[in-house]
Amino acid sequence: MPPEPKTCQACGRTIEWRKKWERDWDQVRYCSTACRKRGVSDVDRRLEDTILDLLAQRARTSTICPSDAARAVGDDDSWRELMEPARRAARRLVDRGEVEITQGGHVVDPSTAKGPIRIRRR
C-alpha cells in the first residue's frame, strides 16, 4: 500500500507517491523541479499574509478573489504577474487549515480547481 499523499511546499498541490521515490519519500517536499527551484519567496509570504489580512477585514462568511491579494501586494502594472503566486499562496493556506477554496459557493480541491476561485476563512 503506498504512503499517504503529501502537499508541495511551494505550490500547495498534492504530491502522489511514485515508485521512483520509494527510498526517499520522507525527503520529498516538492512536486516538480520547477517548484524546487522556485521555493517560497518573500513575495509568496506577503501574499499569504495579505490573503489572511483581507479576510480578517471582511465578514466571517465573505470571500476574496486571489486578484485582491495580488493587487494589494503588486502595483498597477505588476499585479497580473502575481495571480498564479496568489493562487499558490491560497493552496498553501488550505494545506495549513486556515482557508478554503471555493467555486460556485462549494469547497473544491485546490489541487484540481480550474478557472476562477474564491478564498474564504475556515
PDB file of all heavy atoms in Angstrom, residues 77-95:
ATOM      1  N   ASP A  77       0.872  47.892 -12.588  1.00  0.00           N
ATOM      2  CA  ASP A  77       1.451  47.200 -13.736  1.00  0.00           C
ATOM      3  C   ASP A  77       1.808  45.746 -13.458  1.00  0.00           C
ATOM      4  O   ASP A  77       1.851  44.939 -14.385  1.00  0.00           O
ATOM      5  CB  ASP A  77       2.723  47.930 -14.205  1.00  0.00           C
ATOM      6  CG  ASP A  77       2.414  49.341 -14.675  1.00  0.00           C
ATOM      7  OD1 ASP A  77       1.320  49.553 -15.231  1.00  0.00           O
ATOM      8  OD2 ASP A  77       3.261  50.228 -14.479  1.00  0.00           O
ATOM      9  N   SER A  78       2.094  45.389 -12.203  1.00  0.00           N
ATOM     10  CA  SER A  78       2.641  44.052 -11.922  1.00  0.00           C
ATOM     11  C   SER A  78       1.674  43.079 -11.252  1.00  0.00           C
ATOM     12  O   SER A  78       2.009  41.916 -11.083  1.00  0.00           O
ATOM     13  CB  SER A  78       3.889  44.172 -11.044  1.00  0.00           C
ATOM     14  OG  SER A  78       3.533  44.612  -9.745  1.00  0.00           O
ATOM     15  N   TRP A  79       0.473  43.512 -10.898  1.00  0.00           N
ATOM     16  CA  TRP A  79      -0.396  42.615 -10.120  1.00  0.00           C
ATOM     17  C   TRP A  79      -0.799  41.371 -10.895  1.00  0.00           C
ATOM     18  O   TRP A  79      -0.955  40.305 -10.307  1.00  0.00           O
ATOM     19  CB  TRP A  79      -1.625  43.347  -9.586  1.00  0.00           C
ATOM     20  CG  TRP A  79      -2.660  43.706 -10.603  1.00  0.00           C
ATOM     21  CD1 TRP A  79      -2.761  44.874 -11.297  1.00  0.00           C
ATOM     22  CD2 TRP A  79      -3.748  42.880 -11.054  1.00  0.00           C
ATOM     23  NE1 TRP A  79      -3.830  44.830 -12.144  1.00  0.00           N
ATOM     24  CE2 TRP A  79      -4.456  43.626 -12.018  1.00  0.00           C
ATOM     25  CE3 TRP A  79      -4.178  41.609 -10.739  1.00  0.00           C
ATOM     26  CZ2 TRP A  79      -5.582  43.130 -12.667  1.00  0.00           C
ATOM     27  CZ3 TRP A  79      -5.305  41.101 -11.381  1.00  0.00           C
ATOM     28  CH2 TRP A  79      -5.986  41.860 -12.331  1.00  0.00           C
ATOM     29  N   ARG A  80      -0.924  41.465 -12.225  1.00  0.00           N
ATOM     30  CA  ARG A  80      -1.327  40.284 -13.008  1.00  0.00           C
ATOM     31  C   ARG A  80      -0.276  39.173 -12.914  1.00  0.00           C
ATOM     32  O   ARG A  80      -0.608  37.991 -12.933  1.00  0.00           O
ATOM     33  CB  ARG A  80      -1.575  40.672 -14.460  1.00  0.00           C
ATOM     34  CG  ARG A  80      -2.918  41.336 -14.648  1.00  0.00           C
ATOM     35  CD  ARG A  80      -3.195  41.646 -16.120  1.00  0.00           C
ATOM     36  NE  ARG A  80      -4.525  42.179 -16.304  1.00  0.00           N
ATOM     37  CZ  ARG A  80      -4.857  43.447 -16.122  1.00  0.00           C
ATOM     38  NH1 ARG A  80      -3.960  44.316 -15.743  1.00  0.00           N
ATOM     39  NH2 ARG A  80      -6.091  43.847 -16.323  1.00  0.00           N
ATOM     40  N   GLU A  81       0.994  39.555 -12.831  1.00  0.00           N
ATOM     41  CA  GLU A  81       2.069  38.577 -12.690  1.00  0.00           C
ATOM     42  C   GLU A  81       1.977  37.839 -11.356  1.00  0.00           C
ATOM     43  O   GLU A  81       2.561  36.771 -11.203  1.00  0.00           O
ATOM     44  CB  GLU A  81       3.431  39.266 -12.792  1.00  0.00           C
ATOM     45  CG  GLU A  81       3.684  39.937 -14.119  1.00  0.00           C
ATOM     46  CD  GLU A  81       4.872  40.882 -14.075  1.00  0.00           C
ATOM     47  OE1 GLU A  81       5.601  40.888 -13.054  1.00  0.00           O
ATOM     48  OE2 GLU A  81       5.057  41.611 -15.048  1.00  0.00           O
ATOM     49  N   LEU A  82       1.272  38.415 -10.397  1.00  0.00           N
ATOM     50  CA  LEU A  82       1.150  37.822  -9.068  1.00  0.00           C
ATOM     51  C   LEU A  82      -0.087  36.928  -8.920  1.00  0.00           C
ATOM     52  O   LEU A  82      -0.318  36.378  -7.847  1.00  0.00           O
ATOM     53  CB  LEU A  82       1.125  38.926  -8.004  1.00  0.00           C
ATOM     54  CG  LEU A  82       2.410  39.738  -7.878  1.00  0.00           C
ATOM     55  CD1 LEU A  82       2.211  40.878  -6.886  1.00  0.00           C
ATOM     56  CD2 LEU A  82       3.558  38.861  -7.466  1.00  0.00           C
ATOM     57  N   MET A  83      -0.856  36.763  -9.982  1.00  0.00           N
ATOM     58  CA  MET A  83      -2.074  35.951  -9.880  1.00  0.00           C
ATOM     59  C   MET A  83      -1.764  34.485  -9.561  1.00  0.00           C
ATOM     60  O   MET A  83      -2.352  33.915  -8.639  1.00  0.00           O
ATOM     61  CB  MET A  83      -2.900  36.045 -11.166  1.00  0.00           C
ATOM     62  CG  MET A  83      -3.706  37.319 -11.254  1.00  0.00           C
ATOM     63  SD  MET A  83      -4.875  37.487  -9.883  1.00  0.00           S
ATOM     64  CE  MET A  83      -5.957  36.103 -10.204  1.00  0.00           C
ATOM     65  N   GLU A  84      -0.870  33.853 -10.306  1.00  0.00           N
ATOM     66  CA  GLU A  84      -0.551  32.450 -10.004  1.00  0.00           C
ATOM     67  C   GLU A  84       0.143  32.326  -8.648  1.00  0.00           C
ATOM     68  O   GLU A  84      -0.200  31.441  -7.876  1.00  0.00           O
ATOM     69  CB  GLU A  84       0.275  31.810 -11.122  1.00  0.00           C
ATOM     70  CG  GLU A  84       0.526  30.324 -10.903  1.00  0.00           C
ATOM     71  CD  GLU A  84      -0.724  29.486 -10.628  1.00  0.00           C
ATOM     72  OE1 GLU A  84      -1.798  29.780 -11.191  1.00  0.00           O
ATOM     73  OE2 GLU A  84      -0.630  28.525  -9.838  1.00  0.00           O
ATOM     74  N   PRO A  85       1.089  33.225  -8.310  1.00  0.00           N
ATOM     75  CA  PRO A  85       1.639  33.156  -6.941  1.00  0.00           C
ATOM     76  C   PRO A  85       0.557  33.318  -5.863  1.00  0.00           C
ATOM     77  O   PRO A  85       0.635  32.680  -4.812  1.00  0.00           O
ATOM     78  CB  PRO A  85       2.653  34.293  -6.900  1.00  0.00           C
ATOM     79  CG  PRO A  85       3.111  34.438  -8.315  1.00  0.00           C
ATOM     80  CD  PRO A  85       1.873  34.150  -9.143  1.00  0.00           C
ATOM     81  N   ALA A  86      -0.470  34.131  -6.116  1.00  0.00           N
ATOM     82  CA  ALA A  86      -1.557  34.300  -5.141  1.00  0.00           C
ATOM     83  C   ALA A  86      -2.363  33.004  -5.016  1.00  0.00           C
ATOM     84  O   ALA A  86      -2.771  32.617  -3.917  1.00  0.00           O
ATOM     85  CB  ALA A  86      -2.468  35.456  -5.543  1.00  0.00           C
ATOM     86  N   ARG A  87      -2.587  32.310  -6.128  1.00  0.00           N
ATOM     87  CA  ARG A  87      -3.291  31.025  -6.077  1.00  0.00           C
ATOM     88  C   ARG A  87      -2.454  29.989  -5.329  1.00  0.00           C
ATOM     89  O   ARG A  87      -2.977  29.201  -4.540  1.00  0.00           O
ATOM     90  CB  ARG A  87      -3.619  30.540  -7.489  1.00  0.00           C
ATOM     91  CG  ARG A  87      -4.718  31.355  -8.168  1.00  0.00           C
ATOM     92  CD  ARG A  87      -4.902  30.952  -9.618  1.00  0.00           C
ATOM     93  NE  ARG A  87      -5.461  29.640  -9.757  1.00  0.00           N
ATOM     94  CZ  ARG A  87      -6.732  29.372 -10.028  1.00  0.00           C
ATOM     95  NH1 ARG A  87      -7.585  30.353 -10.207  1.00  0.00           N
ATOM     96  NH2 ARG A  87      -7.144  28.133 -10.156  1.00  0.00           N
ATOM     97  N   ARG A  88      -1.133  30.006  -5.559  1.00  0.00           N
ATOM     98  CA  ARG A  88      -0.250  29.085  -4.825  1.00  0.00           C
ATOM     99  C   ARG A  88      -0.294  29.387  -3.331  1.00  0.00           C
ATOM    100  O   ARG A  88      -0.341  28.473  -2.506  1.00  0.00           O
ATOM    101  CB  ARG A  88       1.191  29.198  -5.342  1.00  0.00           C
ATOM    102  CG  ARG A  88       1.409  28.579  -6.699  1.00  0.00           C
ATOM    103  CD  ARG A  88       2.879  28.416  -7.028  1.00  0.00           C
ATOM    104  NE  ARG A  88       3.634  29.651  -6.977  1.00  0.00           N
ATOM    105  CZ  ARG A  88       3.986  30.370  -8.045  1.00  0.00           C
ATOM    106  NH1 ARG A  88       3.641  29.990  -9.253  1.00  0.00           N
ATOM    107  NH2 ARG A  88       4.683  31.468  -7.888  1.00  0.00           N
ATOM    108  N   ALA A  89      -0.281  30.685  -2.981  1.00  0.00           N
ATOM    109  CA  ALA A  89      -0.350  31.079  -1.564  1.00  0.00           C
ATOM    110  C   ALA A  89      -1.649  30.569  -0.943  1.00  0.00           C
ATOM    111  O   ALA A  89      -1.654  30.054   0.182  1.00  0.00           O
ATOM    112  CB  ALA A  89      -0.247  32.599  -1.434  1.00  0.00           C
ATOM    113  N   ALA A  90      -2.751  30.675  -1.672  1.00  0.00           N
ATOM    114  CA  ALA A  90      -4.042  30.191  -1.163  1.00  0.00           C
ATOM    115  C   ALA A  90      -3.997  28.685  -0.942  1.00  0.00           C
ATOM    116  O   ALA A  90      -4.494  28.188   0.073  1.00  0.00           O
ATOM    117  CB  ALA A  90      -5.166  30.559  -2.133  1.00  0.00           C
ATOM    118  N   ARG A  91      -3.384  27.944  -1.878  1.00  0.00           N
ATOM    119  CA  ARG A  91      -3.300  26.486  -1.714  1.00  0.00           C
ATOM    120  C   ARG A  91      -2.460  26.112  -0.494  1.00  0.00           C
ATOM    121  O   ARG A  91      -2.779  25.159   0.224  1.00  0.00           O
ATOM    122  CB  ARG A  91      -2.728  25.841  -2.987  1.00  0.00           C
ATOM    123  CG  ARG A  91      -3.711  25.820  -4.140  1.00  0.00           C
ATOM    124  CD  ARG A  91      -3.240  24.941  -5.280  1.00  0.00           C
ATOM    125  NE  ARG A  91      -1.999  25.365  -5.883  1.00  0.00           N
ATOM    126  CZ  ARG A  91      -1.895  26.099  -6.993  1.00  0.00           C
ATOM    127  NH1 ARG A  91      -2.986  26.507  -7.614  1.00  0.00           N
ATOM    128  NH2 ARG A  91      -0.713  26.406  -7.482  1.00  0.00           N
ATOM    129  N   ARG A  92      -1.376  26.862  -0.244  1.00  0.00           N
ATOM    130  CA  ARG A  92      -0.567  26.585   0.957  1.00  0.00           C
ATOM    131  C   ARG A  92      -1.374  26.859   2.223  1.00  0.00           C
ATOM    132  O   ARG A  92      -1.270  26.125   3.209  1.00  0.00           O
ATOM    133  CB  ARG A  92       0.720  27.412   0.942  1.00  0.00           C
ATOM    134  CG  ARG A  92       1.744  26.936  -0.085  1.00  0.00           C
ATOM    135  CD  ARG A  92       3.085  27.604   0.094  1.00  0.00           C
ATOM    136  NE  ARG A  92       3.022  29.061   0.013  1.00  0.00           N
ATOM    137  CZ  ARG A  92       3.136  29.761  -1.120  1.00  0.00           C
ATOM    138  NH1 ARG A  92       3.324  29.145  -2.268  1.00  0.00           N
ATOM    139  NH2 ARG A  92       3.066  31.075  -1.099  1.00  0.00           N
ATOM    140  N   LEU A  93      -2.189  27.920   2.201  1.00  0.00           N
ATOM    141  CA  LEU A  93      -3.029  28.228   3.364  1.00  0.00           C
ATOM    142  C   LEU A  93      -4.105  27.169   3.566  1.00  0.00           C
ATOM    143  O   LEU A  93      -4.463  26.859   4.701  1.00  0.00           O
ATOM    144  CB  LEU A  93      -3.659  29.615   3.202  1.00  0.00           C
ATOM    145  CG  LEU A  93      -2.688  30.794   3.297  1.00  0.00           C
ATOM    146  CD1 LEU A  93      -3.381  32.090   2.886  1.00  0.00           C
ATOM    147  CD2 LEU A  93      -2.105  30.911   4.690  1.00  0.00           C
ATOM    148  N   VAL A  94      -4.609  26.597   2.487  1.00  0.00           N
ATOM    149  CA  VAL A  94      -5.568  25.482   2.603  1.00  0.00           C
ATOM    150  C   VAL A  94      -4.884  24.314   3.299  1.00  0.00           C
ATOM    151  O   VAL A  94      -5.457  23.698   4.204  1.00  0.00           O
ATOM    152  CB  VAL A  94      -6.108  25.053   1.215  1.00  0.00           C
ATOM    153  CG1 VAL A  94      -6.826  23.713   1.307  1.00  0.00           C
ATOM    154  CG2 VAL A  94      -7.029  26.110   0.643  1.00  0.00           C
ATOM    155  N   ASP A  95      -3.661  24.013   2.889  1.00  0.00           N
ATOM    156  CA  ASP A  95      -2.930  22.893   3.488  1.00  0.00           C
ATOM    157  C   ASP A  95      -2.719  23.100   4.984  1.00  0.00           C
ATOM    158  O   ASP A  95      -2.751  22.159   5.752  1.00  0.00           O
ATOM    159  CB  ASP A  95      -1.578  22.700   2.786  1.00  0.00           C
ATOM    160  CG  ASP A  95      -0.836  21.486   3.307  1.00  0.00           C
ATOM    161  OD1 ASP A  95      -1.437  20.389   3.310  1.00  0.00           O
ATOM    162  OD2 ASP A  95       0.325  21.640   3.723  1.00  0.00           O
TER     163      ASP A  95
END
